[in-house]
Amino acid sequence: MSFALALQELKTGNITFENIQTVLLADQHTASQLFALAQEIRFAIMGKKVFLRGLIEFSNYCRNSCAYCGLNISVKNQIRYRLNLSEILECAAIAQDLGYQTLVLQAGEDAYYTSEKFTSIISTLKDKYPTIALTLSFGLHSKTDYQTWFKAGADRYLMRFETSNAQLFAQHRPGTNLQERLTALSDLQEIGYQVGTGNLIGLPGQTLTDLVNDILLLYKLQPDMIGVGPFIPHPATLLANEPAGDVFLALKELAILRIILPYVHLPATTAFGTLKESGQLLALNAGANVIMPNVSPETSRKLYAIYPNKAGSLENSTQTHARILNTISKAKLEADFSRGDSYKL
């Protein structure tokens, strides 16, 4: 099948393995048509809007031993931190001053934050800032916990499945399994959260077939947001000597997702900007419409090292804000400071 035909088929809703695979194999020259179509679709639905979400990384403790993540419990030389409620509120105030109407609370799966403690954080934030959208990115927990946090005021939940290959998932996430993660995503949708998920591109052992199946699973899940990005090896993990994921391949997946799920929110993730200085700009030009500026304290953001040399880890919130506005301007798009709720709503 030709690239042109496969791209047209995807555009008209024929979402097949063969069509996705053909488009993923596009070379640099041919892929320009893919990126142009993704931009066209994003502009038709979302105009020039790029939604900004203030990211608060409140703990780098984690109970898991995921081989691809620098926060994993096996990394012994990592300096660990937790933000208390007062510090989280200071971050939220910075986000408000910068105009962000969405906060994202992100951490490793830190057992210190019991359901009651986390509920208190959510309630306090929503009491102080009742109009914000509050997004949680706190990993795998019970359905009861998700229900409690939703009732306390949480609006959205982000949890990537990373890979649709159950064997690869178990290999890189020992002690966990893919099905429980997919069940949790289903529970979150049932409860009423706006749900985000996604996958890693270039995870060691991943094949092109796996990547196509990732995209097909994302299409099946029909989430409100999808975060994708290239794998970046961390020097203190078992995957330290593995090659990083291919930015170009990740950009092609991003563009395909914009075409087959035109209403989904797609962030230009930090991983793009970490591997390539212009990475987030390229992601915007491939159909992304969200960026999450970091508003964590300067002292802790460099410690949230899921991978090394994370873009923005040596900046303060004002510097990050200015850099991201400049990136959006270069893409000839416009920053949008509203909640930016799901287009499904």
Side-chain angles (χ1 to χ4, degrees):
M1 176 178 290
S2 71
F3 168 84
L5 179 57
L7 186 61
Q8 180 62 27
E9 290 282 296
L10 291 179
K11 181 182 178 182
T12 55
N14 189 15
I15 317 302
T16 67
F17 185 99
E18 184 181 7
N19 287 332
I20 294 171
Q21 179 177 253
T22 299
V23 174
L24 279 176
L25 289 170
D27 60 22
Q28 288 277 357
H29 174 71
T30 309
S32 62
Q33 301 170 50
L34 168 65
F35 299 141
L37 178 58
Q39 287 188 75
E40 177 188 318
I41 291 172
R42 182 201 57 210
F43 184 77
I45 293 169
M46 302 161 179
K48 294 184 176 182
K49 294 178 181 179
V50 178
F51 296 105
L52 301 181
R53 284 80 153 95
L55 175 64
I56 304 173
E57 297 162 335
F58 64 93
S59 171
N60 71 347
Y61 283 85
C62 190
R63 64 190 176 194
N64 295 323
S65 52
C66 304
Y68 51 82
C69 180
L71 302 192
N72 85 65
I73 195 170
S74 302
V75 178
K76 301 301 182 186
N77 61 349
Q78 172 68 272
I79 299 172
R80 304 286 177 169
Y81 76 90
R82 294 185 178 103
L83 300 185
N84 59 36
L85 178 58
S86 176
E87 290 169 318
I88 292 172
L89 288 172
E90 287 176 14
C91 295
I94 290 171
Q96 284 287 291
D97 289 343
L98 292 170
Y100 308 150
Q101 293 304 303
T102 294
L103 288 178
V104 182
L105 289 179
Q106 185 176 75
E109 291 185 16
D110 183 356
Y112 168 82
Y113 295 95
T114 62
S115 184
E116 293 74 18
K117 286 180 180 176
F118 202 39
T119 301
S120 176
I121 292 170
I122 293 166
S123 299
T124 302
L125 281 168
K126 287 304 287 252
D127 286 345
K128 189 170 180 62
Y129 303 110
T131 62
I132 64 165
L134 186 57
T135 303
L136 310 181
S137 180
F138 195 37
L140 192 67
H141 296 273
S142 71
K143 186 175 182 179
T144 300
D145 286 346
Y146 295 147
Q147 290 170 326
T148 300
W149 299 338
F150 187 72
K151 289 176 183 176
D155 302 281
R156 305 169 186 162
Y157 206 100
L158 309 181
M159 183 165 56
R160 302 201 321 187
F161 60 77
E162 309 298 10
T163 175
S164 59
N165 181 323
Q167 184 177 352
L168 199 60
F169 185 99
Q171 176 186 336
H172 291 307
R173 295 182 56 92
T176 66
N177 66 78
L178 176 62
Q179 188 52 55
E180 66 182 354
R181 209 158 180 87
L182 296 180
T183 298
L185 288 170
S186 177
D187 289 342
L188 290 162
Q189 288 178 318
E190 179 187 318
I191 290 166
Y193 283 93
Q194 297 174 45
V195 175
T197 189
N199 66 310
L200 267 174
I201 295 97
L203 188 65
Q206 182 187 67
T207 65
L208 185 65
T209 293
D210 292 329
L211 190 55
V212 176
N213 285 330
D214 288 353
I215 295 171
L216 288 170
L217 177 55
L218 287 165
Y219 183 73
K220 178 183 178 182
L221 292 173
Q222 294 284 309
D224 302 282
M225 190 176 98
I226 298 173
V228 304
F231 161 72
I232 302 174
H234 190 288
T237 66
L238 295 174
L239 303 180
N241 297 318
E242 297 290 342
D246 185 340
V247 172
F248 178 53
L249 184 59
L251 290 168
K252 287 188 287 185
E253 178 182 339
L254 190 69
I256 289 170
L257 291 170
R258 172 56 66 216
I259 293 164
I260 68 175
L261 292 165
Y263 292 94
V264 77
H265 286 304
L266 292 174
T269 56
T270 307
F272 283 108
T274 300
L275 282 182
K276 195 173 183 65
E277 186 176 356
S278 61
Q280 286 184 298
L281 173 61
L282 292 172
L284 291 174
N285 289 336
N289 73 308
V290 172
I291 296 184
M292 299 185 186
N294 199 330
V295 293
S296 305
E298 292 174 68
T299 52
S300 64
R301 61 169 66 193
K302 58 191 172 187
L303 299 177
Y304 199 83
I306 52 178
Y307 44 75
N309 305 313
K310 190 171 64 166
S313 60
L314 300 180
E315 299 172 340
N316 61 37
S317 298
T318 303
Q319 291 168 329
T320 298
H321 179 76
R323 174 175 54 81
I324 286 174
L325 290 185
N326 184 52
T327 298
I328 293 170
S329 177
K330 284 182 178 178
K332 296 182 172 56
L333 300 172
E334 298 170 359
D336 189 295
F337 294 88
S338 66
R339 285 169 53 108
D341 283 303
S342 171
Y343 277 87
K344 288 183 182 179
L345 301 179

